[in-house]
Amino acid sequence: MDKVRLQREAAFIRSSLLDQGYLDEQFIQLEELQDNDNPNFVEEVVTLFYTDSARLIYNIDQALLSNPTDFTKLDDYMHQFKGSCSSIGAKKVKNECNGFGEYCEVQNYDGCFRTFQQIKQEYITLKKKLETYFQLLKEAAQIK
Amino acid sequence: MGMAAAAATESQQFHVLAVDDSLIDRKLIERLLRTSSYQVTTVDSGTKALEFLGLRENDDGTPNTPSISPNNHQEVEVNMVITDYCMPGMTGYDLLKKIKESSSLRNIPVVIMSSENVPSRISRCLEEGAEEFFLKPVRLSDLNRLKPHIMKRSKLKDQDQKQVIPEKIDTLLEVQKQHQPQEEAQPQVQPNLEQQQQQQSLQQNNNNNNNSSNKRKSMEQSLSPETTDRTRPRYSGIATVV
């Protein structure tokens, strides 16, 4: 695969993520913190995001299975998840989380459950695109 | 170019302790601080922060049973603490209080970070002595606001150590006037009444007064046109409260 072509593909994914609102300004801030001394900073942060999110998503799933529902715990996990999304600029996923918070507040289990399935979908979509993006960059970097 | 280099060298002497339970946010704040040429230590809880600062959790500044480090001097010098507000166990606010209540640590400037823009929370933190309140995600431009606090505090520290501690309020005002040339030309708007209500040492009073004028300054700055758009909405809630 041609280096320039790979880079172009990566750039395209990046632009669409930004244009479609999957990512926001904060992602660009992360990119600006990357330099020759910290060449993989963005990918490192995003990888931490995946790990953190996996843990929180699991916790929320478990909490949704528990009876009776502990809405305080749910709210707390979601607050943490939202914080992580915000830190990497995962705008779309973060916005879905707002709905969840509202349902939590009124202790609406169905609302929480449904919203969370949507959140998971958006998260998976974002994750896949980001993984492809970083993979393309990596492949391009390996070509002289 | 020369001045920037000098500024960078100055910052390199400063050591910031960053406290956040979120791994991602610790990584972020560390990178932001290092980019701004600070030395950084990160910890994931208020308790660990206090340990690092050389203060045990139940320490109120009075002599304690012998431990590894004497409780009235820091194990490592820390020039600023920046902490998340929402943490399990000890919150950022609790940590702020403990630092300000400690005779050995109260001079350390503390900055609070939060993902939520809650005006009452912001006021509470500023009133308790926080220098600044940053909304997350924190940006490099936010960190630029730290420099005056950390610089002023290090100058004051040298000054205070040479002062005798008077008890009279008028002597306090005299000493404050002496400090003013070192600071930027900001009028000390603090009325006498507030000072009289504080029955504490000169050091504490100076820092509290400086805290108040800094708070006002940071709030005024945030309303001025030169600040970024991100700052304006942050304090718009406060403006109505004030």
Side-chain angles (χ1 to χ4, degrees), chain B residues 103-172:
Chain B
S103 49
S104 51
L105 301 178
R106 64 163 71 105
N107 290 328
I108 301 178
V110 181
V111 172
I112 310 278
M113 306 179 280
S114 176
S115 50
E116 290 160 322
N117 186 354
V118 181
S120 56
R121 175 183 295 184
I122 298 173
S123 316
R124 209 155 61 105
C125 289
L126 294 177
E127 274 159 32
E128 195 59 41
E131 303 291 335
E132 294 273 359
F133 190 102
F134 293 154
L135 273 190
K136 285 181 164 184
V138 178
R139 308 267 174 96
L140 262 177
S141 51
D142 294 321
L143 294 198
N144 292 334
R145 280 154 52 191
L146 293 184
K147 191 63 72 65
H149 301 300
I150 216 172
M151 296 292 295
K152 183 181 290 188
R153 202 51 65 100
S154 77
K155 276 180 189 155
L156 269 181
K157 216 173 82 174
D158 296 332
Q159 291 271 335
D160 287 340
Q161 279 163 5
K162 294 167 194 162
Q163 300 281 354
V164 174
I165 300 176
E167 249 123 1
K168 301 232 167 135
I169 299 299
D170 17 32
T171 330
L172 162 68

Side-chain angles (χ1 to χ4, degrees), chain B residues 84-104:
Chain B
D84 188 24
Y85 183 91
C86 267
M87 295 188 292
M90 193 186 294
T91 66
Y93 179 77
D94 297 330
L95 175 60
L96 166 68
K97 273 192 82 175
K98 291 235 189 260
I99 289 174
K100 292 304 169 186
E101 282 164 7
S102 153
S103 49
S104 51

